[in-house]
């Protein structure tokens, strides 16, 4: 089906990235997104170093990648289990995990940042590696909502800085939004496009505006669904069923909030509200804040609006 053909296309595509583009990728942050980005990069022939401050997160990330690869292989290599096993082992062999980001970026072509959605944390990270990474290395952020230009502002490589916005679950979702700021060079933009395509994704180009294309539409929609729940207009299950069966969405908005992580959703809304206080669509949602303060972050923590 859709995923099978996508994966098949990826598996059949050359295992070596096109000449003169990205060969080694450092993915910083081994959570939901970082693990998926590391997987698709390695699955398509890139050498990958996955970095997290937390050793347990790295262990979990490798487990997630193994499970995801098995799903891929079960479908694509039904008749060739040997080839499937080879894909899994070769992909895993290409992924190295480390906790020291400064060591990781000494020799790399691309740094993909997928850490917590917080400008201060992202600034701290990029300023700590800017002088260490080679000159040619491109830095990108996978931010959902922050300004790429603002993230890049602490570096001396604004021409080699952009946004690559992947979607969750990365191995399945076919899109990457490619974001260039007014300072991103043409060469960097072309390399970001080539890398995204080399990992099997379809690209769209976006300006550096809040939420780019998808989240500018999706985040207010999810927030409105939670407000509907707060008002008691309908139950979570009914809101989800309504949007799945009445609008053809693969997941309802409440399920989707749990799936993307309530902390990430809350960070996005709080950040936008601070920046655009007069925009009613960006008003933070009290119920979301409450769940986050109780440690209920959605699927990744075992409970959000639903229990997992
Ligand atoms: N790795 C590999 N394969 C996976 C996978 C993973 N992590 N997760 C699901 N799959 C595969 C399954 O094996 C299955 O494959 P086939 O159809 O070929 O058999 C397929 O994906 C469907 O999976 P399931 O049958 O388990 O479940 P589903 O049909 O409910 O689909 C879903 C799951 C793909 C996640 C689907 O519900 C969906 O598309 N949901 C919406 C996701 C979405 O909107 N993502 C964007 C979030 S916003 C964002 O990411 C941006 C941001 O900045 C916050
Ligand atoms: P997550 O909470 O699942 O993972 C973040 C990981 O980063 C954690 O493992 C944490 O230990 C690690 N980390 C934090 N600070 C670090 C640092 N300084 N160095 C190394 N590792 C560090 O988060 P996520 O959902 O994967 O989101 C990551 C980024 O991707 C955010 O900017 C988010 O907005 C964006 N994003 C999220 C989604 C989604 O659906 N969740 C989709 C697209 C983009």
């Amino acid at each position: 089906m859709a995923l099978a053909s996508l994966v098949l296309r990826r598996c059949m595509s050359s295992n070596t990235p096109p000449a003169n583009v990205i060969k080694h990728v450092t993915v910083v942050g081994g959570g939901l997104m970082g693990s998926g980005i590391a997987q698709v990069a390695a699955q398509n022939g890139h050498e990958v170093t996955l970095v997290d401050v937390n050793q347990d997160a790295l262990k979990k990330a490798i487990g997630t990648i193994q499970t995801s690869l098995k799903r891929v292989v079960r479908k694509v290599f039904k008749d060739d289990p040997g080839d499937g096993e080879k894909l899994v082992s070769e992909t895993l062999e290409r992924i190295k995990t480390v906790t020291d980001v400064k060591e990781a970026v000494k020799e790399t072509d691309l740094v993909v940042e997928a850490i917590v959605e917080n400008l201060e944390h992202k600034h701290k990270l990029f300023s700590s590696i800017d002088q260490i990474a080679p000159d040619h290395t491109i830095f990108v952020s996978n931010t959902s909502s922050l300004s790429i230009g603002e993230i890049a502002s602490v570096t001396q490589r604004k021409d080699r800085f952009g946004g690559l916005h992947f979607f969750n679950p990365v191995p399945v979702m076919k899109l990457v939004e490619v974001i260039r700021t007014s300072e991103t060079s043409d060469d960097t933009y072309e390399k970001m496009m080539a890398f995204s395509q080399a990992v099997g994704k379809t690209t769209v180009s976006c300006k550096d505006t809040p939420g780019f294309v998808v989240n500018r539409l999706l985040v207010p929609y999810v927030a409105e669904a939670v407000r509907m729940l707060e008002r008691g207009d309908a139950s979570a299950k009914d809101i989800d069923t309504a949007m799945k069966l009445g609008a053809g969405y693969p997941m309802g908005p409440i399920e989707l909030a749990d799936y993307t992580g309530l902390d990430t959703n809350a960070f996005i809304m709080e950040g936008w509200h601070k920046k655009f206080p007069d925009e009613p669509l960006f008003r933070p949602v009290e119920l979301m804040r409450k769940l986050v303060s109780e440690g209920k972050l959605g699927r990744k923590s075992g409970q959000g609006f639903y229990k997992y």
Side-chain angles (χ1 to χ4, degrees):
M1 297 118 35
L3 176 75
S5 58
L6 175 70
V7 168
L8 194 56
R9 183 161 67 79
R10 280 190 217 145
C11 296
M12 286 167 65
S13 73
S14 160
N15 262 351
T16 317
N20 296 326
V21 289
I22 310 299
K23 293 190 171 64
H24 183 279
V25 187
T26 302
V27 180
V28 191
L32 278 177
M33 297 306 292
S35 58
I37 297 166
Q39 177 185 331
V40 297
Q43 208 175 304
N44 288 283
H46 301 80
E47 292 300 323
V48 176
T49 302
L50 179 60
V51 187
D52 202 290
V53 281
N54 182 335
Q55 190 64 48
D56 287 343
L58 288 172
K59 240 194 218 162
K60 194 171 162 199
I62 292 298
T64 305
I65 293 170
Q66 271 167 331
T67 308
S68 174
L69 282 169
K70 279 185 194 147
R71 283 173 97 159
V72 169
V73 159
R74 249 202 316 269
K75 282 181 305 235
V76 181
F77 294 96
K78 260 199 307 265
D79 304 323
D80 299 296
D83 284 354
E85 274 169 33
K86 193 162 165 249
L87 175 80
V88 174
S89 63
E90 284 181 358
T91 302
L92 291 171
E93 270 166 31
R94 289 192 200 104
I95 306 175
K96 197 173 133 195
T97 58
V98 300
T99 51
D100 182 353
V101 72
K102 292 186 182 168
E103 200 51 44
V105 301
K106 277 186 180 158
E107 277 179 48
T108 194
D109 302 315
L110 174 70
V111 175
V112 182
E113 170 273 310
I115 68 167
V116 61
E117 187 71 342
N118 176 300
L119 186 61
E120 228 174 276
H121 285 67
K122 292 187 196 282
H123 274 169
K124 217 165 146 193
L125 168 71
F126 281 118
S127 40
S128 76
I129 59 174
D130 192 28
Q131 301 302 320
I132 296 169
D135 266 357
H136 78 277
T137 305
I138 293 173
F139 287 180
V140 301
S141 173
N142 181 54
T143 180
S144 299
S145 65
L146 300 171
S147 150
I148 300 294
E150 276 179 37
I151 300 174
S153 66
V154 294
T155 71
Q156 302 302 313
R157 60 178 82 214
K158 299 181 189 67
D159 55 328
R160 283 150 289 150
F161 204 115
L164 288 183
H165 189 215
F166 287 82
F167 293 83
N168 182 29
V170 179
V172 181
M173 303 310 279
K174 298 170 191 158
L175 186 69
V176 173
E177 291 178 322
V178 179
I179 301 108
R180 63 186 300 178
T181 71
S182 55
E183 296 185 78
T184 309
S185 70
D186 288 345
D187 182 59
T188 300
Y189 172 72
E190 278 153 26
K191 285 177 176 155
M192 291 195 298
M193 292 290 268
F195 170 72
S196 306
Q197 287 157 13
V199 300
K201 304 299 181 192
T202 298
T203 49
V204 292
S205 299
C206 302
K207 286 197 177 161
D208 190 15
T209 52
F212 319 121
V213 174
V214 173
N215 281 346
R216 181 64 181 78
L217 299 172
L218 200 56
V219 172
Y221 151 73
V222 167
E224 193 51 27
V226 180
R227 287 191 196 102
M228 194 177 257
L229 184 63
E230 258 179 345
R231 291 193 298 265
D233 294 349
S235 69
K237 196 159 173 285
D238 282 351
I239 294 170
D240 284 339
T241 302
M243 291 313 290
K244 283 189 281 193
L245 302 188
Y249 282 45
M251 245 179 203
I254 308 290
E255 283 179 274
L256 184 59
D258 272 359
Y259 195 70
T260 52
L262 300 188
D263 50 344
T264 298
N265 277 281
F267 279 138
I268 296 174
M269 294 293 285
E270 311 261 347
W272 285 355
H273 180 61
K274 226 180 193 174
K275 230 171 156 181
F276 308 98
D278 298 330
E279 174 53 71
L281 287 176
F282 298 162
R283 265 182 302 120
V285 190
E286 212 37 61
L287 181 55
M288 193 111 85
R289 274 184 173 159
K290 179 175 170 287
L291 290 172
V292 172
S293 70
E294 291 168 357
K296 294 172 184 159
L297 309 182
R299 249 179 214 247
K300 65 182 170 189
S301 72
Q303 190 171 351
F305 290 102
Y306 296 103
K307 270 194 178 161
Y308 300 92

